[in-house]
Amino acid sequence: MKVVFAGTPEFAAVALRALHEAGFEIPLVLTQPDRPAGRGMQLQASAVKQYALAHGMEVAQPLSLRMDSKDPQRAEEARAAHERLAGLDYDVMVVAAYGLILPRSTLDIRPCINIHGSLLPRWRGAAPIHRAIEAGDLETGVTIMGMEEGLDTGPMMLIERVAIDDGDTTGSLHDKLAQLGGRMIVEALRKMEQGQLEAVPQPEQGVTYAAKISKEEAKLDFGLPAELLWRRVRAFNPFPGAQGLVNGVAVKIWNAELAPGSGTPGQVLSADAQHGVVIACGEGALRLTELQKPGGKRLPASEFLKSFPLVGLGFS
């Protein structure tokens, strides 16, 4: 079976590796153009591109797949990509966190299957892992689905569940789901080869939308309940990283746990090696266990306090 793969970040690279190691022929890999990254803002290839090139796969990086784009360069690159796909000998396109919209013209060339990191129809959209943690969901999972023009509305082919543990962050849950997605897409294509891959429509009830995470969401409002803030700290780790202001200084909050206590929202209830950094919230309190000051390293609370004492201060 010949597979065209479309994906960009590490979540997708795990699936590409699983397909490659399972022996599927991959005549073409689509990924987003290189982006500036790091302090030097040097162009950096995506995780998918790095894996593909390291294993001798052809890579294409069109700016868009929409031939009707008003941008002449994007439209031209989309036409070239469409012609390449239309003339290519392959059986199915596998898509995982590609980041570009696949228009009808692309979907009509060959069957397209998507690896989606949620239990559809819950959390359609860009940030299903973040939003599941933020909402306090007890479980999530991976859905292998057929693609259509609607946003994550296609029929479901395989679905597996994963419990969300209290200690899970978006980073840790991402890694679990990436491994699961890699295993499941191999299983799905094996079933497709044998004519045993069935698709069922998504339920009409329970649809939610996982909006893209913005940096503006990172600032915590300590007037909110501690439990919600605890979930947001975990949901925003590793991106964009939750933060609170202390005397105008933005302090990153990477990990936290619920704690007993009450007081004025944002008040530092304790800040010592014995009790840690405990902050009063609108309801309850939050113990901050890993913090980072601007230009510093991520540190356990006890180490952070050695260079950034919080006694008598508060978060806003």
Side-chain angles (χ1 to χ4, degrees):
M1 201 170 196
K2 297 179 181 179
V3 181
V4 167
F5 187 87
T8 299
E10 182 61 29
F11 183 90
V14 173
L16 177 60
R17 180 171 63 248
L19 292 171
H20 178 246
E21 291 178 351
F24 288 99
E25 184 177 345
I26 304 171
L28 180 65
V29 172
L30 299 174
T31 192
Q32 287 208 42
D34 298 359
R35 306 290 189 197
R39 291 188 176 182
M41 297 302 287
Q42 299 294 314
L43 287 178
Q44 182 171 318
S46 71
V48 162
K49 179 180 178 179
Q50 292 178 45
Y51 183 88
L53 292 181
H55 294 84
M57 301 175 193
E58 181 183 347
V59 174
Q61 298 176 272
L63 291 168
S64 172
L65 293 175
R66 301 188 66 90
M67 293 184 287
D68 59 355
S69 174
K70 295 180 180 180
D71 182 317
Q73 182 180 357
R74 289 174 181 268
E76 179 58 33
E77 290 196 17
R79 280 191 290 271
H82 177 79
E83 291 174 3
R84 179 76 178 94
L85 289 169
L88 189 64
D89 178 21
Y90 70 101
D91 301 292
V92 62
M93 178 183 287
V94 170
V95 182
Y98 181 26
L100 294 184
I101 295 173
L102 269 62
R104 170 55 57 190
S105 58
T106 300
L107 298 174
D108 283 346
I109 298 174
R110 297 286 191 280
C112 295
I113 297 178
N114 181 237
I115 308 169
H116 186 73
S118 84
L119 301 174
L120 290 170
R122 185 154 178 80
W123 302 126
R124 295 174 179 173
I129 302 175
H130 301 77
R131 299 304 181 189
I133 293 177
E134 182 185 21
D137 290 2
L138 298 179
E139 64 176 6
T140 185
V142 169
T143 303
I144 304 296
M145 56 175 288
M147 294 191 70
E148 54 187 35
E149 286 187 284
L151 179 65
D152 299 328
T153 58
M156 302 182 297
M157 298 167 172
L158 292 178
I159 189 164
E160 290 197 27
R161 301 173 182 272
V162 171
I164 300 177
D165 300 327
D166 285 351
D168 270 326
T169 64
T170 287
S172 65
L173 193 54
H174 165 281
D175 293 348
K176 294 178 188 178
L177 296 182
Q179 293 298 324
L180 178 59
R183 177 174 62 77
M184 288 175 65
I185 192 61
V186 170
E187 178 184 351
L189 295 190
R190 295 295 188 215
K191 287 179 177 288
M192 178 180 281
E193 285 180 315
Q194 299 164 8
Q196 298 176 352
L197 186 63
E198 299 181 358
V200 298
Q202 294 185 34
E204 296 181 0
Q205 294 75 33
V207 175
T208 51
Y209 177 66
K212 184 178 180 180
I213 300 295
S214 68
K215 291 184 178 180
E216 288 71 27
E217 294 181 77
K219 187 178 182 299
L220 298 183
D221 177 0
F222 286 94
L224 296 172
E227 183 170 350
L228 175 56
L229 297 179
W230 169 61
R231 297 199 303 260
R232 287 185 175 175
V233 168
R234 294 161 49 219
F236 298 161
N237 181 351
F239 176 85
Q243 68 178 35
L245 291 178
V246 181
N247 285 351
V249 177
V251 174
K252 290 274 191 178
I253 302 166
W254 292 109
N255 280 297
E257 59 189 30
L258 298 176
S262 62
T264 303
Q267 178 185 357
V268 177
L269 300 178
S270 67
D272 53 59
Q274 181 179 358
H275 302 97
V277 178
V278 179
I279 310 298
C281 304
E283 294 178 16
L286 200 63
R287 178 175 287 107
L288 313 184
T289 59
E290 186 180 14
L291 304 98
Q292 181 181 13
K293 65 182 180 181
K297 298 179 180 179
R298 293 171 56 160
L299 296 172
S302 58
E303 293 297 314
F304 177 84
L305 290 172
K306 292 178 181 179
S307 61
F308 202 109
L310 292 170
V311 176
L313 300 178
F315 281 76
S316 62

